[in-house]
Amino acid sequence: MTTPHQPAAIAHLNVVVLVSGTGSLLQAIVDGQDEHYSVVKVIADVPCQGIERARAAGIATEVVEMGADRAEWNQRLVAAVDAAQPDVVVSAGFMKILGKDFLDRFEGRTINTHPALLPAFKGAHGVRDALAYGAKVTGSTVHFVDAGVDTGSIIAQEPVRILAEDDEASLHERIKVVERELIVSVLRAARVEGEALSIQL
Ligand code: GRF
């Protein structure tokens, strides 16, 4: 029996990860699995290294490729995610915008990792844009996904200094080192409250 002085048991979270590319963040999430969470499925919009990493780890995978009809693709994506019954959906280098059908089903439980300190440098080129602007500090943001592009409420951020000798690749790699740690910390801190997620770091 739980007394007022004992914390309630922490439920183990089932996580679905969405990827489009290399999947190094996915690898960190997989390597970070513990009593807090398990990755139950990895879904991509294109065949990619992230899918290969998931297969190598023995995790269920599905590639949901977009055809001419974006709304129909969103429905297939919802079905692919729903089949895994996740508590949390992580967009980790997933390069497609999640549409209304997806958000109707999973908003509040879907989080994204972005390689800049939002609200600065939103969009697909956050690293390149911070460099081009001449910013001296950028970083990583984990945030809830909403209907905008990188506009959802911020869960966690970590800064990364931009060095004079940085190019996009060197800066992105240092940001990814920070992103990998941050997303694992967020997943370990996540709790389900009804249909939504509560994350207090
Ligand atoms: C990360 O920087 C993520 O924030 C961005 O794409 C990158 C994914 O890297 N959206 P990887 O495929 O996990 O190596």
Side-chain angles (χ1 to χ4, degrees):
M1 211 175 88
T2 304
T3 72
H5 299 294
Q6 286 176 321
I10 295 168
H12 189 85
L13 299 183
N14 288 335
V15 178
V16 165
V17 184
L18 308 179
V19 292
S20 297
T22 320
S24 71
L25 301 188
L26 165 69
Q27 190 68 58
I29 294 167
V30 168
D31 294 345
Q33 291 178 109
D34 63 2
E35 69 274 20
H36 294 93
Y37 74 88
S38 300
V39 180
V40 292
K41 188 171 185 180
V42 174
I43 300 172
D45 58 323
V46 285
C48 61
Q49 199 186 337
I51 288 289
E52 289 165 24
R53 288 180 191 266
R55 285 200 188 118
I59 296 166
T61 62
E62 190 167 342
V63 178
V64 184
E65 292 193 67
M66 193 185 280
D69 185 340
R70 192 169 190 122
E72 183 264 348
W73 172 77
N74 253 285
Q75 287 162 7
R76 281 189 284 122
L77 188 65
V78 169
V81 175
D82 234 347
Q85 299 273 294
D87 300 299
V88 189
V89 182
V90 183
S91 159
F94 189 64
M95 298 311 286
K96 293 270 190 318
I97 307 282
L98 298 166
K100 183 176 182 313
D101 283 338
F102 193 95
L103 292 172
D104 284 350
R105 184 80 186 90
F106 300 112
E107 188 165 6
R109 285 188 285 154
T110 304
I111 63 178
N112 179 52
T113 164
H114 181 74
L117 292 178
L118 295 172
F121 309 118
K122 299 184 176 91
H125 303 294
V127 180
R128 187 189 306 171
D129 293 347
L131 263 181
Y133 195 85
K136 301 300 179 199
V137 178
T138 184
S140 163
T141 303
V142 178
H143 63 97
F144 283 103
V145 174
D146 69 6
V149 176
D150 301 325
T151 53
S153 64
I154 291 171
I155 299 164
Q157 291 186 303
E158 281 294 332
V160 173
R161 291 185 74 83
I162 300 178
L163 307 177
E165 62 270 27
D166 266 331
D167 59 16
E168 188 178 350
S170 66
L171 178 58
H172 200 172
E173 191 45 47
R174 282 208 317 290
I175 293 171
K176 284 206 220 178
V177 170
V178 170
E179 286 190 276
R180 291 175 194 129
E181 271 192 36
L182 198 60
I183 188 65
V184 171
S185 311
V186 165
L187 286 171
R188 287 183 176 158
R191 307 281 177 270
V192 175
E193 282 182 4
E195 281 290 289
L197 268 187
S198 151
I199 307 174
Q200 305 290 338
L201 283 172

